[in-house]
């Protein structure tokens, strides 16, 4: 085996071990959005932001108003609910714990 190929394989192996270790300590954040009239709020973007301002990919509420954000490491976050496209999100402080963090139901306009 050539030295460069060996080093590349070792580097990739280390990368995947670190990635797997990080995901081993991750949680699912789940919750439900409803309109003030009690009906599920559908197709609304929801995301979390850590203390460094790093935002995860958004999840969208389903027909039942539920959303799920996967592989979020435990810790403090801000939950952003993007009610109006192009507007500012509604923001809530949350603490993510393993394996699931259930967010109380949120009423939106």
């Amino acid at each position: 085996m050539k030295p460069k190929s060996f080093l590349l394989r070792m580097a990739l192996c280390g990368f995947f071990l670190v990635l797997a270790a990080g995901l081993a300590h991750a949680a699912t954040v789940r919750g439900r959005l409803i309109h003030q009239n009690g009906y599920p709020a559908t197709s609304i973007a929801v995301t979390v932001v850590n203390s460094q301002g790093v935002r995860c990919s958004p999840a969208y509420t389903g027909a039942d108003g539920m959303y799920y954000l996967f592989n979020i490491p435990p810790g403090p976050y801000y939950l952003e609910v993007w009610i109006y496209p192009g507007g500012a999100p509604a923001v809530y402080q949350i603490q993510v714990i393993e394996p699931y963090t259930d967010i109380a139901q949120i009423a939106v306009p």
Side-chain angles (χ1 to χ4, degrees):
M1 183 180 317
K2 295 182 180 181
K4 286 183 181 178
S5 176
F6 175 75
L7 290 176
L8 178 60
R9 286 183 185 188
M10 291 304 294
L12 286 173
C13 180
F15 171 78
F16 287 117
L17 285 175
V18 169
L19 179 63
L23 293 180
H25 295 287
T28 297
V29 176
R30 59 188 178 187
R32 185 170 189 243
L33 301 180
I34 61 165
H35 288 292
Q36 293 170 345
N37 62 11
Y39 290 103
T42 63
S43 302
I44 294 180
V46 179
T47 190
V48 293
V49 181
N50 69 14
S51 59
Q52 289 81 34
V54 178
R55 181 175 286 114
C56 76
S57 297
Y60 293 88
T61 56
D64 57 357
M66 292 292 298
Y67 61 87
Y68 300 87
L69 298 159
F70 299 102
N71 297 322
I72 307 298
Y77 290 89
Y78 293 99
L79 179 76
E80 294 181 333
V81 178
W82 296 86
I83 302 163
Y84 303 109
V91 179
Y92 306 88
Q93 278 188 299
I94 63 169
Q95 181 70 33
V96 174
I97 58 173
E98 296 177 284
Y100 294 100
T101 298
D102 291 319
I103 305 300
Q105 186 168 276
I106 298 173
V108 298

